[in-house]
Amino acid sequence: MPTFDGFPHVMVSQQFSRQWIVEEFFPLVDQMKHIFVSGGCDMLKGKRMVSFFYQPSTRTRMSFEFAIGYLGGNVLFSTENAREFSSGAKGESLKDTILVINRYRPDVIVLRYDRELGSEVVSGISRVPVINAGDRNPGQHPTQGLLDLNTIKKHFGHIDGLTVTMVGDLKNGRTVRSLSYLLGKFGRISINFVSPPNLAMKSDVKEYLFKHGVEVEEFTDLRRVAPASDVIYQTRTQTECGSTMNGKDGYFRIDQTILDMLNTDTIIMHPLPKLDEIASEVDDDSRAVYLTDQIDSGLFTRMALLKMILAPKR
Ligand code: CP
């Protein structure tokens, strides 16, 4: 497990090496699947998790809480809307909140925050490992990136050489940022960014990919790249960040027209929640993995991360 300021915080996708992903993370996720199938274990017995979310979540919070449960640990405090249901509502700072949580001696804090979580904000303060469950500006969701990468690996057996097409609100979507950083660690990767100009991927990610030899192209019409894509990664318009999507700016929706263009082996991914950017008929297509494999991968990935942080030697 890579360390971050001396502690195994999970903050950004860039902190993980290719070697760690391939040699430790992927095998451990497989091991976690076996533990899940066999009904769980007590590997993390006595370990205490706090899940503190300043923004709503269904999958991330629930999968972390199920994950520690399947490994025998406990959730000792959980809030789904810390802005309303904690002293964050009275204006308490994140720093003070983290310091107070630390005094109760949990073993791990899973934190979703509506601003940037960085070493200066959390890692330098918390003696307890913190897992970034999604932050903002510029924003990452590293555990989602890892679960997405594992979903891709499970399907293709490898990551190198794949063509991944990311679609929609790439400017404010944190999952596409984290996945891009992870893909940049692999070889012969091509990424197509398909979005209206006002929601294009930010330059920091594009510069990173360029430096890491990833072939990047930008489009406004999904139909141009769908037939040559191994993965189509669709995203929701982040209206809560002020994003607006104008259908006249291009073709961004996955519908029957797109399904008819895809190879039989292509997979369709989405971090969820999804709205109208995916037509309902796509859910029943065998290439859609967002309601199946991606969800499973989320649980096993979070089990793996908790095991690595809380019981690294077992
Ligand atoms: N993918 C994701 O982060 O979903 P939630 O917002 O429901 O956690």
Side-chain angles (χ1 to χ4, degrees):
M1 181 78 184
T3 59
F4 199 86
D5 201 27
F7 300 98
H9 299 297
V10 173
M11 285 286 127
V12 292
S13 287
Q14 300 92 304
Q15 77 188 74
F16 302 110
S17 68
R18 177 196 167 108
Q19 186 181 12
W20 175 83
I21 292 167
V22 171
E23 295 179 12
E24 297 188 47
F25 171 67
F26 287 149
L28 189 57
V29 174
D30 287 343
Q31 193 188 324
M32 293 298 121
K33 179 179 177 181
H34 291 302
I35 289 173
F36 167 77
V37 170
S38 65
C41 71
D42 63 0
M43 187 184 276
L44 298 188
K45 188 165 180 228
K47 299 293 183 185
R48 306 176 189 98
M49 186 176 93
V50 167
S51 61
F52 214 84
F53 280 57
Y54 286 82
Q55 294 178 310
S57 165
T58 297
R59 281 145 290 274
T60 311
R61 192 164 71 101
M62 209 186 300
S63 59
F64 264 115
E65 294 184 6
F66 269 91
I68 198 156
Y70 279 117
L71 295 174
N74 298 301
V75 181
L76 283 195
F77 182 84
S78 175
T79 180
E80 63 175 7
N81 185 354
R83 281 260 173 263
E84 192 178 347
F85 299 126
S86 78
S87 284
K90 302 169 206 162
E92 185 165 58
S93 68
L94 180 64
K95 178 183 168 205
D96 287 357
T97 303
I98 293 289
L99 287 172
V100 169
I101 296 173
N102 267 246
R103 297 299 294 181
Y104 300 130
R105 306 292 195 276
D107 296 291
V108 63
I109 302 168
V110 179
L111 181 63
R112 175 170 286 186
Y113 196 53
D114 46 11
R115 284 167 228 153
E116 188 178 16
L117 289 174
S119 54
E120 67 285 5
V121 180
V122 168
S123 310
I125 299 168
S126 187
R127 308 280 312 168
V128 176
V130 176
I131 300 176
N132 178 0
D135 67 354
R136 287 278 179 214
N137 295 322
Q140 279 218 35
H141 197 345
T143 69
Q144 177 80 40
L146 287 169
L147 82 84
D148 290 336
L149 198 69
N150 182 66
T151 305
I152 296 170
K153 157 74 167 49
K154 180 172 177 283
H155 187 79
F156 294 98
H158 61 93
I159 305 291
D160 291 327
L162 294 176
T163 296
V164 178
T165 295
M166 302 190 193
V167 193
D169 183 357
L170 308 180
K171 179 182 170 198
N172 287 312
R174 49 197 171 195
T175 67
V176 281
R177 295 175 56 78
S178 287
L179 180 58
S180 293
Y181 282 122
L182 290 171
L183 289 170
K185 295 174 185 297
F186 290 82
R188 296 175 288 105
I189 298 288
S190 298
I191 298 183
N192 300 312
F193 290 133
V194 183
S195 72
N198 63 314
L199 300 180
M201 179 57 83
K202 288 181 183 162
S203 56
D204 57 341
V205 170
K206 287 188 277 193
E207 280 162 20
Y208 175 94
L209 293 173
F210 179 73
K211 271 192 211 147
H212 287 77
V214 176
E215 198 173 298
V216 174
E217 286 195 84
E218 295 184 270
F219 300 89
T220 55
D221 190 335
L222 177 57
R223 293 169 296 189
R224 282 193 58 196
V225 289
S229 300
D230 297 304
V231 176
I232 308 267
Y233 192 100
Q234 177 65 287
T235 63
R236 171 181 69 89
T237 305
Q238 309 270 316
T239 50
E240 68 272 32
C241 300
S243 298
T244 54
M245 173 77 78
N246 186 344
K248 289 196 214 110
D249 290 338
Y251 202 101
F252 311 106
R253 191 163 185 258
I254 302 182
D255 53 14
Q256 193 62 49
T257 303
I258 299 296
L259 285 182
D260 291 344
M261 292 179 166
L262 298 182
N263 290 323
T264 50
D265 202 31
T266 298
I267 56 171
I268 303 166
M269 301 177 67
H270 193 305
L272 304 180
K274 66 181 172 64
L275 302 173
D276 191 44
E277 64 277 1
I278 292 188
S280 57
E281 62 263 28
V282 182
D283 294 355
D284 298 325
D285 193 285
S286 60
R287 293 166 290 189
V289 298
Y290 42 80
L291 291 170
T292 52
D293 293 355
Q294 256 180 293
I295 304 300
D296 294 346
S297 180
L299 178 62
F300 308 147
T301 290
R302 284 154 183 153
M303 289 169 71
L305 290 169
L306 290 172
K307 192 266 171 202
M308 280 189 183
I309 292 169
L310 300 178
K313 300 216 162 56
R314 290 193 63 185

